[in-house]
Amino acid sequence: MSTASRLPQIVGRLASKLPVTVDATVRRLALLSLIGQTLLVVTGGAVRLTASGLGCPTWPRCTNESLVNTPEMGIHGFIEFGNRLLTFALAAVAAMMLVYLWNLRKERKDLFLLALGLLASIPAQAIIGGVTVLTRLNPWVVGLHFLVSMALVVFATLLVNRAYGRTGRFLTRPLTSLPGVLRPVMTAVAVFSAVAVMLGVVVTGAGPHAGDAKAPRNNLDWDLFSHIHAVPAYLITAGTLFAAYLVFRRGISGPFRTAVLLLLGVTLLQAVIGFTQYYNGIPALLVGAHMLGAALLMSAATNAWDIARYSPVK
């Protein structure tokens, strides 16, 4: 019997060894996806903030002759290629997730489609990254690259919530009833978080950290857009403080309480970092911390909104 004719049998044997329920491996892969997407934001920030944006001056190769960085390229080549390498690692995690969900692809379409979306985004990110290099770090393309990463953090957060049965159709335990006002408030906070991140991209494109000394800027007024960027940040803080007030006032417990307190902590930390970097000449280390904070904010806001969405209303 030829290998081709035996292929269905081989696939069947492999599928029989895969889980038929959402087990610990699936949950770990979901969590690893979220950690990896957040780490990708950090390494992308390191590329920009160390002026390593053109550490690999070509794409898809690192140089015209080499697929990987060479010793002659120094630390900048290592940092840029390391960021590219992490993308492949995330692709491997997403592919493993799809494999482990194969027997659940119909029953748990929510998980399967989210994992598929994360995997499909990898080549899209690679192409945008290539355009970034080929356009010599055009700030709008660099910004798009960052925004896609933020979207992937959102998807990975939803994947974790679904895999752990925190939200969605397959809740493992009932959620605490919430006042009706909290659902639109958390929706607004999540939207304002996305707006703040998008405006942050504009601010960064006007600032000094271009990723390379010769990279172009967007020529917008950095100080003006910094203040515009702060407006949705104030709204996020106000919405989160209101949610925290209701949590303590109404004695709300469970996952929503934890989500709101986590969101409040991240929001306040981002505010401190933002003000500190603004009044201290936007040092690279604080900018990097602010980028990490943006990923944590998007994840925390998504988590709080997702839980509020599936919580019953009083």
Side-chain angles (χ1 to χ4, degrees):
M1 184 180 294
S2 65
T3 302
S5 61
R6 293 174 55 199
L7 186 59
Q9 298 177 6
I10 296 173
V11 172
R13 283 198 297 269
L14 291 175
S16 66
K17 298 179 181 180
L18 296 174
V20 293
T21 60
V22 178
D23 61 7
T25 300
V26 172
R27 297 188 184 98
R28 291 191 192 105
L29 287 172
L31 190 58
L32 191 58
S33 293
L34 177 57
I35 294 171
Q37 295 295 346
T38 305
L39 185 59
L40 187 63
V41 173
V42 175
T43 60
V47 169
R48 173 189 284 264
L49 298 170
T50 59
S52 302
L54 295 176
C56 287
T58 63
W59 184 87
R61 292 174 175 267
C62 195
T63 70
N64 290 328
E65 295 78 26
S66 175
L67 184 64
V68 302
N69 62 302
T70 62
E72 293 77 16
M73 300 171 71
I75 187 65
H76 295 307
F78 179 81
I79 292 174
E80 165 62 7
F81 184 72
N83 185 56
R84 293 187 183 188
L85 201 59
L86 180 57
T87 302
F88 290 104
L90 287 173
V93 171
M96 288 176 62
M97 185 77 174
L98 284 177
V99 170
Y100 271 89
L101 288 171
W102 183 252
N103 288 334
L104 294 164
R105 65 190 182 279
K106 295 180 180 179
E107 178 187 353
R108 294 302 306 267
K109 285 184 179 179
D110 55 338
L111 294 178
F112 193 79
L113 291 177
L114 282 169
L116 183 62
L118 287 171
L119 180 60
S121 71
I122 302 299
Q125 275 288 68
I127 291 172
I128 296 172
V131 175
T132 301
V133 172
L134 297 176
T135 58
R136 315 308 289 176
L137 306 184
N138 180 287
W140 299 108
V141 181
V142 172
L144 177 61
H145 201 36
F146 178 76
L147 290 178
V148 173
S149 290
M150 290 293 101
L152 297 181
V153 168
V154 170
F155 292 148
T157 300
L158 294 175
L159 182 65
V160 169
N161 278 356
R162 302 296 189 274
Y164 279 84
R166 290 161 49 83
T167 60
R169 292 173 49 222
F170 298 89
L171 283 167
T172 56
R173 60 172 179 166
L175 292 170
T176 305
S177 297
L178 303 179
V181 70
L182 279 174
R183 189 175 293 176
V185 166
M186 300 321 300
T187 300
V189 168
V191 171
F192 287 135
S193 297
V195 172
V197 168
M198 288 187 283
L199 289 172
V201 165
V202 177
V203 174
T204 303
H209 301 292
D212 186 80
K214 298 180 180 179
R217 303 281 71 209
N218 61 24
N219 297 320
L220 297 175
D221 188 326
W222 177 84
D223 190 63
L224 172 62
F225 276 91
S226 293
H227 286 86
I228 295 174
H229 166 60
V231 173
Y234 295 143
L235 295 173
I236 293 166
T237 304
T240 305
L241 285 172
F242 177 70
Y245 165 77
L246 285 182
V247 162
F248 288 106
R249 177 79 175 179
R250 303 289 182 88
I252 299 170
S253 59
F256 184 76
R257 177 191 180 98
T258 303
V260 167
L261 293 180
L262 178 62
L263 176 59
L264 180 61
V266 172
T267 300
L268 295 178
L269 179 62
Q270 269 292 77
V272 170
I273 295 173
F275 280 115
T276 304
Q277 70 174 5
Y278 178 84
Y279 289 108
N280 287 276
I282 47 177
L285 188 60
L286 285 181
V287 174
H290 206 46
M291 292 177 69
L292 171 60
L296 296 177
L297 175 64
M298 287 305 302
S299 182
T302 299
N303 179 52
W305 163 78
D306 194 34
I307 293 174
R309 178 188 173 197
Y310 285 97
S311 296
V313 176
K314 290 182 179 179

